[in-house]
Amino acid sequence: MALGAAAPLGLASTSRAASAAAPGRLTLPEPTGPHPVGTVALHLLDTSRPDPAAGAGHYRELMASVWYPARDVDDYPLAPWMAEGAMRAFLDDVGFPLPPSLALLTSGHLGAPVHRCGHRLPVVVYSHGSGSHRADHTIMVQELASHGYVVVTVDHTYDGFTEFPDGRVVPQIRDSTHPTLSPMDYATDARFVLDCVQDLAAGRNPDVDNLALPDGLLGTLDPLDIGMFGWSKGGTATACVMLADQRVRAGLSLDGPMQPGPMPTITTDLDRPFMMMTARFTRAQDPNVAVFWSHLKGWRLNVQADGATHQSYGDTQVLMPQLAKLVGMSDQQLKNWIGTLDPARAVKIQQAYPLAFFDQHLRHHRGHLLDGPSRAFPEVHYLP
């Protein structure tokens, strides 16, 4: 939920209403695929990158989650959307003082065994936006996992909200003592995650604490069948990874600004499939996006949903209306967050389009959804 990407909208004035609200449970829609979903968190350490912000002798430290098709899930609890400490820090940062009993569970079963189907599973890596976290697009992530993909999500430490196994909560750092991470920094994180994917595929556990992994996870990922997607800065990072690393065969940007920094724009040709789902950062309004589009020399597609805002292709679209009721948000405040795209329709779009894209370009299962305008999705426009 990319709450940090929009203005607080005077939410401090709703704090009394929030504290008086009845305890609530937020919900996400269930995935539609044939498999239940499993998930496990990984604590990763990139010993090739010193981390000055953490002190001398420390290296780049990341948290990631692996989502996958599972079996025999009945004895495995559902995973929370975020670790409690990180979620509290995240919501407090944007002015949502919520009751302690608030809970949000996913459809992922913690540590459930992997569904083995006789072949290795395609992999998709996810990168979040600035000030966000790796759970931000759980609807998409668990949808892909329910259809047989392994999805690896990563927190970009210092530019989001993450919680480590020892209880440390690291928020987004906004002061001058630590430079803001660029999309290129995100891309470096993602390429390290690709190395960890290769470890898992080869039967090696990349978790720095040697966490016991779910049964069947080691050796089940396909290191030659990898895609990537990201939102906002993570969408730009997806393009940066593909330009630098041939391991990613197909990329999807969710309203990425395509301004990688320190370079002003992307001017290198990309010959592998790339799809853009745009809202705020459109080719018509943003020169960087238009220039990037001109350098896509392979399969490409740009779609845009009526009424979508920068947050509309993620969990925000369905969680914010629920939060609005808890904090007493006005209709106009809610509209400023999620635009006019109906949340139920947004869910259908989030579940259908990324799956169709990765099915076509990783699995070579071509449907017709990406061929052009669909009667099933009249609000989605295909931009030439």
Side-chain angles (χ1 to χ4, degrees), residues 10 39 56 62 95 132 295:
T39 186
L62 301 169
S132 191
H295 286 280

Side-chain angles (χ1 to χ4, degrees), residues 211-236:
L211 173 77
L213 298 179
D215 180 57
L217 184 61
L218 291 177
T220 200
L221 284 67
D222 189 341
L224 302 178
D225 201 9
I226 298 176
M228 182 173 172
F229 77 104
W231 172 71
S232 193
K233 188 185 288 188
T236 306

Side-chain angles (χ1 to χ4, degrees), residues 106-165:
T106 69
S107 296
H109 295 263
L110 285 166
V114 178
H115 174 77
R116 300 295 294 265
C117 52
H119 59 79
R120 289 184 177 244
L121 301 177
V123 180
V124 178
V125 173
Y126 166 72
S127 176
H128 63 70
S130 179
S132 191
H133 50 87
R134 70 185 190 275
D136 198 21
H137 285 73
T138 295
I139 293 172
M140 289 186 183
V141 167
Q142 60 189 20
E143 180 70 12
L144 290 168
S146 77
H147 284 274
Y149 289 87
V150 175
V151 187
V152 185
T153 64
V154 60
D155 280 336
H156 297 289
T157 313
Y158 305 127
D159 202 17
F161 292 80
T162 192
E163 184 171 343
F164 290 100

Side-chain angles (χ1 to χ4, degrees), residues 150-231:
V150 175
V151 187
V152 185
T153 64
V154 60
D155 280 336
H156 297 289
T157 313
Y158 305 127
D159 202 17
F161 292 80
T162 192
E163 184 171 343
F164 290 100
D166 61 6
R168 283 175 297 136
V169 175
V170 180
Q172 182 185 26
I173 296 178
R174 300 188 180 96
D175 60 55
S176 58
T177 62
H178 193 279
T180 300
L181 297 185
S182 73
M184 297 297 288
D185 295 317
Y186 275 35
T188 304
D189 285 345
R191 296 184 68 189
F192 171 66
V193 170
L194 293 177
D195 295 341
C196 296
V197 166
Q198 291 188 304
D199 285 338
L200 289 166
R204 298 186 296 268
N205 184 354
D207 186 84
V208 71
D209 305 316
N210 200 32
L211 173 77
L213 298 179
D215 180 57
L217 184 61
L218 291 177
T220 200
L221 284 67
D222 189 341
L224 302 178
D225 201 9
I226 298 176
M228 182 173 172
F229 77 104
W231 172 71

Side-chain angles (χ1 to χ4, degrees), residues 9 25 34 40 43 76 110 130 146 171 193 203 205 208 221 225 240 263 289 357 370:
L9 300 173
R25 181 176 293 277
V40 63
H43 181 198
Y76 297 87
L110 285 166
S130 179
S146 77
V193 170
N205 184 354
V208 71
L221 284 67
D225 201 9
C240 294
M263 298 179 297
V289 179
F357 174 73
L370 304 184

Side-chain angles (χ1 to χ4, degrees), residues 275-292:
M275 179 174 168
M276 301 192 304
M277 297 175 64
T278 54
R280 173 185 173 188
F281 293 104
T282 65
R283 286 149 51 204
Q285 297 177 332
D286 195 304
N288 291 311
V289 179
V291 169
F292 172 73

Side-chain angles (χ1 to χ4, degrees), residues 3-80:
L3 302 179
L9 300 173
L11 290 178
S13 65
T14 67
S15 60
R16 287 188 296 275
S19 61
R25 181 176 293 277
L26 306 182
T27 61
L28 290 174
E30 294 284 336
T32 69
H35 305 293
V37 176
T39 186
V40 63
L42 297 178
H43 181 198
L44 306 176
L45 188 67
D46 184 355
T47 56
S48 71
R49 286 191 290 164
D51 184 1
H58 290 266
Y59 297 92
R60 180 71 170 157
E61 190 177 11
L62 301 169
M63 287 300 298
S65 289
V66 183
W67 299 74
Y68 52 87
R71 58 179 172 85
D72 303 330
V73 299
D74 291 345
D75 294 331
Y76 297 87
L78 292 175

